[in-house]
Amino acid sequence: MARASAGTLLVHAAFVLTGVMTTLLGPMLPIFSARWTLSDSQAGYLFTAQFASSILGVALSSVLVHRFGYRLTIVFGLGFMAAGAGLLAQASWIVGLISVCIYGFGMTVCLALVAISLGCIHLPVDAKRDSPKAPAIEANRKIWKSPLVPVLGALFFIYVGTENSIGGWVASYARRIDVSSGTFWALTPSFFWGALLLGRALAPVMLRHVRETTLASAGLVLASLGVSVLLIANTLALVVVGASVAGFGLASVFPINIALLSQWFGEMASRIGGLMFALSSLGGATVPWLVGALSSRFGSLRIGLTVPLVGSLTMLFLYLKNRHSPRLT
């Protein structure tokens, strides 16, 4: 019993630290940019490094668990996060980029353990998987021909890219609006993530009264409004309002994306789940960088932040267009 409790505490601690590391770049980005004299395009590569290395961590996590077990693998992932964060504190630009890769690798190693552990649970439905190979092959062909696969893939890709574009760049944006010597700008990502957390806590209550696609669509309207407020903001107060509204609006979208896997694809959802989560990481690696690239190209982070606005509107369009899509059987 004591060992089980210690293991549970270790997992909880790992998730807290993983959450901290996931959001670290946002408030620190203005400091890193000033220390290393980075353009916004160069700063965007930090997000690419974090999420690209996390894809590698996911790919290797099952191998590590098989070799070392769950507990040592979690410790291994936490060690990588600690090493990367430690190097980042005093690093040069190149070493800093490597440091982000190191902690990004450790961070997903940790997150992937949840998926692996769920995959090891033998549910009653597992015992029924004794069907002939031919129907399974036919099911594979059917699912990959479904037009809902690219739709859901786009939702996963755009969502993570949009979320991390706002959370990752809002502090830099606020810093440029705030001409005083204060440091309140560093807190602006907290309003975004806090509103996101609040929205996810309230989502189960709201889902008792409205269907999933309706809630996600309403949330994306709010998110688009929040980003629009950011784009016209000329004070820190408006930045806080915009970030908070955007965070609250996005809160339910990713969980509902996951729910659509089973709603649209039923028992075949497991066949495409890995692809969807890979696309999520790819979105996190590319879309925040695109914000920085556009900012450098046009000399305005305000223009760069039109990317998450387009992302929110695109997801809204996809949800509205496919809100009555039938389950693939």
Side-chain angles (χ1 to χ4, degrees), residues 10 93 97 105-106 119 142 151 209 226 244 247-248 252 276 278 284 289:
L10 177 61
W93 158 232
L97 201 62
F105 175 83
K142 185 175 183 179
V151 170
H209 307 285
S244 300
F248 190 81
S252 65
M276 296 301 137
W289 169 82

Side-chain angles (χ1 to χ4, degrees), residues 124-145:
V125 70
D126 292 338
K128 300 178 181 179
R129 293 182 180 176
D130 54 358
S131 56
K133 184 179 294 186
I137 295 174
E138 183 61 30
N140 270 332
R141 291 175 179 171
K142 185 175 183 179
I143 196 171
W144 291 113
K145 289 180 179 179

Side-chain angles (χ1 to χ4, degrees), residues 207 210-218 252 255-257 259-260 263 319:
L207 284 171
V210 297
R211 59 184 295 172
E212 290 89 343
T213 52
T214 301
L215 179 59
S217 299
S252 65
I256 290 174
N257 285 351
L260 289 179
Q263 286 189 11
Y319 262 103

Side-chain angles (χ1 to χ4, degrees), residues 13-61:
F15 272 97
V16 171
L17 293 173
T18 300
V20 171
M21 297 305 294
T22 301
T23 59
L24 176 68
L25 279 181
M28 295 299 294
L29 196 63
I31 297 173
F32 293 149
S33 295
R35 179 195 296 173
W36 298 325
T37 320
L38 302 179
S39 66
D40 285 344
S41 180
Q42 290 173 314
Y45 284 120
L46 292 170
F47 297 100
T48 303
Q50 175 178 322
F51 283 92
S53 61
S54 72
I55 297 174
L56 177 62
V58 169
L60 293 179
S61 58

Side-chain angles (χ1 to χ4, degrees), residues 5-121:
S5 298
T8 301
L9 288 175
L10 177 61
V11 172
H12 288 174
F15 272 97
V16 171
L17 293 173
T18 300
V20 171
M21 297 305 294
T22 301
T23 59
L24 176 68
L25 279 181
M28 295 299 294
L29 196 63
I31 297 173
F32 293 149
S33 295
R35 179 195 296 173
W36 298 325
T37 320
L38 302 179
S39 66
D40 285 344
S41 180
Q42 290 173 314
Y45 284 120
L46 292 170
F47 297 100
T48 303
Q50 175 178 322
F51 283 92
S53 61
S54 72
I55 297 174
L56 177 62
V58 169
L60 293 179
S61 58
S62 59
V63 177
L64 293 172
V65 169
H66 179 74
R67 180 74 179 273
F68 301 107
Y70 285 94
R71 183 177 301 178
L72 284 180
T73 302
I74 291 177
V75 172
F76 179 74
L78 293 175
F80 264 81
M81 285 193 284
L87 286 173
L88 194 60
Q90 301 296 329
S92 64
W93 158 232
I94 297 299
V95 176
L97 201 62
I98 296 172
S99 300
V100 173
C101 287
I102 292 173
Y103 82 65
F105 175 83
M107 178 183 70
T108 311
V109 168
C110 288
L111 287 178
L113 294 183
V114 177
I116 294 173
S117 61
L118 288 175
C120 292
I121 297 175

